[in-house]
């Protein structure tokens, strides 16, 4: 391992420069004005892997669809085939004033590299690239590549891409480089993820706005009805009150209170909601969040009863549940609890399935050995994730015989999707070494 460890250490400066170049590309897939940047990031990604000997090209489900990069670099005859996944699109930066440095100008401060996509998930691309460079001409497996360009906007064309390019993507092992590790210095394999549903909920109580002095106290306004309806989504302790959703046990992992406080950003006086262990509440129980409300703004609001109001309701669903069940259960709950005869309408925006991975077998043995070696004897833990990577279920369906390993570069202070997203540089070096060792181990297994 010493030679490989030295090789990874020596290639880090150039690899970080390539990562910085990727971060500078504003590949925000949700912003139509920056679709040319998404194209630019796809071409940059393609060129980086082509320079390492991949037959790499940009593909899309149809003309005008988001660009993905597909490629292959052959290893020895008869060697295992490994598919490397990451995504080159990023979340919007939102208000740049919330950042300590420009979001698309990669900046090193202390032990971190900051910038939108510096971790999620352009560092996932760099992780794969670094492992390939470390192994060089001694590549022990055949590598296939799939770098997606629409993960942050729900991967709408992914099923079509998987079907269209199945022969080019089929593998014995799939490494999904879009998750993280338990802590700095403690590696992990992600073995469960919650799914999600997003539903727009609208209530109407009036055909038009009316004077609140003339009609308030008799006619319910829409905000009154909506807030009453939304409040029924939680029990008194803050648990999800929607009946019929799945809950389950979680791994016996200690999540210290001080870490929960620091990593969640909870205000000092905030109490936790729900019941059960913290990891059960975060990984294996459903959680309801209202992520947006359409109603008149406070500034300039008139003294009228609002006729219609709308909210976006998101439910993170536990492993073992389905999006179809969650939508049906939420719909039934809303219909049962809508107050004062208000007119209710709902629109399902999207759904994503939860995932449970059977974390056993030769690929997992190879990964655990590799990570333990890369982290100087610290064995990886099996970790759940409260967030969602719905496409993992689609990979499992498309390639049922493949072992799926979910790894990544993030750590508890990465702040993916938020201001000051950052990559821990020392941990990134371990991640690259861990993947290089994993590829070596897969060839030996």
């Amino acid at each position: 391992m010493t030679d490989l460890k030295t090789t990874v250490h020596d290639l880090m400066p150039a690899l970080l420069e390539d990562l910085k170049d990727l971060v500078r590309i504003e590949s925000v897939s949700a912003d139509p004005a920056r679709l040319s940047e998404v194209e630019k990031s796809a071409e940059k990604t393609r060129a980086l892997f082509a320079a390492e000997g991949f037959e790499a090209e940009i593909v899309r489900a149809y003309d005008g669809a988001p660009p993905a990069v597909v490629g292959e670099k052959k290893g020895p005859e008869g060697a295992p085939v490994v598919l490397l996944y990451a995504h080159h699109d990023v979340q919007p930066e939102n208000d740049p004033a919330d950042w300590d440095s420009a979001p698309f100008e990669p900046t090193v401060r202390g032990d971190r590299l900051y910038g939108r996509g510096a971790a999620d998930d352009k560092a996932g691309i760099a992780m794969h690239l670094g492992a390939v460079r470390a192994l060089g001409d001694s590549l022990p497996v055949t590598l296939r590549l799939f770098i997606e360009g629409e993960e942050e906007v729900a991967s709408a064309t992914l099923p079509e891409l998987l079907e269209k390019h199945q022969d080019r993507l089929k593998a014995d092992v799939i490494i999904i480089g879009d998750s993280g590790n338990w802590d700095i210095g403690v590696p992990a394999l992600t073995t469960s993820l919650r799914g999600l549903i997003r539903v727009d909920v609208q209530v109407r109580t009036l055909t038009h706005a009316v004077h609140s002095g003339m009609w308030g106290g008799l006619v319910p306004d829409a905000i009154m009805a909506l807030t009453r309806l939304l409040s029924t989504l939680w029990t008194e302790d803050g648990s999800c009150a929607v009946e019929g959703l799945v809950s389950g046990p979680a791994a016996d992992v200690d999540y210290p209170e001080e870490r929960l406080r620091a990593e969640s950003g909870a205000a000092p006086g905030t109490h936790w909601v729900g019941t059960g262990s913290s990891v059960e509440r975060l990984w294996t129980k459903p959680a309801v969040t209202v992520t947006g409300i359409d109603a008149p703004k406070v500034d300039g609001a008139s003294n009228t009863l609002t006729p219609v109001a709308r909210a976006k309701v998101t439910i993170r669903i536990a492993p073992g549940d389905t999006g179809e069940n969650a939508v049906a259960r939420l719909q039934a709950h809303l219909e049962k609890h809508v107050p004062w005869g208000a007119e209710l309408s709902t629109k399902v925006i999207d759904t994503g399935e939860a995932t449970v991975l059977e974390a056993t077998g030769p690929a997992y043995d190879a990964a655990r050995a590799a990570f333990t070696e890369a982290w100087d004897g610290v064995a990886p833990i099996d970790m759940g994730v409260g967030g969602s990577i719905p496409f993992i279920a689609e990979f499992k369906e498309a390639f049922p015989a493949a072992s799926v390993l979910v790894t990544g570069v993030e750590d508890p202070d990465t702040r993916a999707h938020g201001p000051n997203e950052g990559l821990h540089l020392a941990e990134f070096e371990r991640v690259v070494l861990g993947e290089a060792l994993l590829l070596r181990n897969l060839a030996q297994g």
Side-chain angles (χ1 to χ4, degrees):
M1 198 265 288
T2 302
D3 289 345
L4 197 54
K5 185 174 184 179
T6 300
T7 300
V8 169
H9 180 76
D10 290 344
L11 63 80
M12 290 305 293
L15 184 62
L16 288 173
E17 289 304 312
D18 288 327
L19 175 56
K20 290 177 183 179
D21 287 343
L22 286 169
V23 171
R24 291 187 181 99
I25 303 172
E26 300 182 20
S27 52
V28 179
S29 51
D31 183 358
R34 290 189 276 194
L35 293 184
S36 63
E37 291 286 286
V38 178
E39 297 290 335
K40 185 178 176 182
S41 69
E43 173 53 30
K44 176 65 174 178
T45 300
R46 186 207 64 78
L48 285 169
F49 283 93
E52 302 304 322
F54 278 76
E55 294 180 4
E57 67 172 314
I58 294 173
V59 300
R60 54 192 88 231
Y62 51 84
D63 288 345
V69 179
V70 169
E72 181 180 76
K73 184 175 182 179
K74 291 189 179 296
E77 186 71 26
V81 178
V82 180
L83 176 65
L84 306 177
Y85 170 94
H87 62 88
H88 65 88
D89 65 319
V90 298
Q91 281 281 321
E93 72 277 26
N94 298 318
D95 188 351
D98 293 333
W99 290 71
D100 294 335
S101 53
F104 291 103
E105 182 49 50
T107 304
V108 175
R109 293 193 303 276
D111 53 12
R112 287 187 177 271
L113 172 68
Y114 292 91
R116 174 58 83 230
D120 183 18
D121 185 35
K122 289 178 176 176
I125 299 171
M127 172 182 74
H128 297 325
L129 188 66
V132 170
R133 287 178 179 173
L135 293 167
D137 294 333
S138 301
L139 187 66
V141 296
T142 288
L143 290 179
R144 290 177 175 166
L145 187 70
F146 184 66
I147 309 296
E148 190 187 358
E150 56 178 336
E151 194 275 342
E152 300 293 8
V153 287
S155 303
T157 70
L158 177 63
E160 189 171 345
L161 285 170
L162 292 179
E163 181 178 359
K164 190 173 183 179
H165 300 285
Q166 187 167 27
D167 290 344
R168 302 175 67 185
L169 299 175
K170 186 177 181 181
D172 302 300
V173 179
I174 302 171
I175 300 176
I176 306 287
D178 194 22
S179 187
N181 292 300
W182 177 242
D183 202 357
I184 301 299
V186 183
L189 288 160
T190 297
T191 57
S192 73
L193 303 101
R194 289 192 291 195
L196 83 163
I197 62 169
R198 294 195 302 163
V199 179
D200 284 356
V201 178
Q202 179 176 290
V203 295
R204 179 180 287 278
T205 58
L206 290 153
T207 57
H208 57 85
V210 295
H211 194 290
S212 63
M214 298 291 292
W215 297 104
L218 176 68
V219 179
D221 68 86
I223 297 176
M224 180 182 183
L226 179 63
T227 54
R228 174 64 67 89
L229 176 60
L230 295 178
S231 71
T232 69
L233 294 172
W234 301 275
T235 65
E236 189 65 29
D237 65 17
S239 298
C240 174
V242 178
E243 295 181 353
L245 299 179
V246 171
S247 293
D252 184 15
V253 177
D254 180 37
Y255 207 149
E257 177 73 12
E258 60 273 17
R259 270 191 62 186
L260 286 168
R261 289 281 166 189
E263 294 165 15
S264 68
T270 301
H271 296 260
W272 305 129
V273 297
T275 60
S277 71
S278 58
V279 292
E280 284 177 342
R281 282 178 269 183
L282 291 171
W283 299 347
T284 60
K285 288 191 172 187
V288 184
T289 307
V290 176
T291 57
I293 293 179
D294 285 342
K297 294 181 179 179
V298 172
D299 291 342
S302 62
N303 290 322
T304 56
L305 301 184
T306 300
V308 62
R310 185 172 64 144
K312 187 176 296 294
V313 175
T314 297
I315 301 183
R316 298 287 175 166
I317 58 176
D321 210 341
T322 66
E324 181 181 11
N325 177 65
V327 167
R329 299 293 185 169
L330 175 62
Q331 183 70 36
H333 178 98
L334 296 170
E335 291 172 355
K336 179 180 178 181
H337 291 91
V338 63
W340 304 306
E343 177 185 305
L344 171 70
S345 58
T346 59
K347 179 182 179 182
V348 178
I349 303 304
D350 53 25
T351 65
E353 298 305 321
T355 299
V356 179
L357 297 170
E358 184 62 44
T360 59
Y364 275 88
D365 292 343
R368 290 189 175 101
F371 291 2
T372 301
E373 193 172 353
W375 270 264
D376 298 322
V378 179
I381 70 165
D382 288 353
M383 184 176 81
V385 171
S388 307
I389 309 181
F391 63 76
I392 293 176
E394 292 165 348
F395 273 96
K396 289 175 64 180
E397 182 177 352
F399 307 111
S403 297
V404 179
L405 304 174
V406 182
T407 69
V409 302
E410 296 180 21
D411 66 81
D413 198 31
T414 289
R415 306 186 191 187
H417 295 201
N420 299 311
E421 176 183 347
L423 173 72
H424 192 280
L425 296 174
E427 200 71 358
F428 177 61
E429 185 171 335
R430 293 188 190 101
V431 166
V432 173
L433 176 59
E435 181 158 304
L437 290 167
L438 167 57
L439 296 176
R440 183 200 66 182
N441 289 356
L442 289 171
Q444 296 172 350

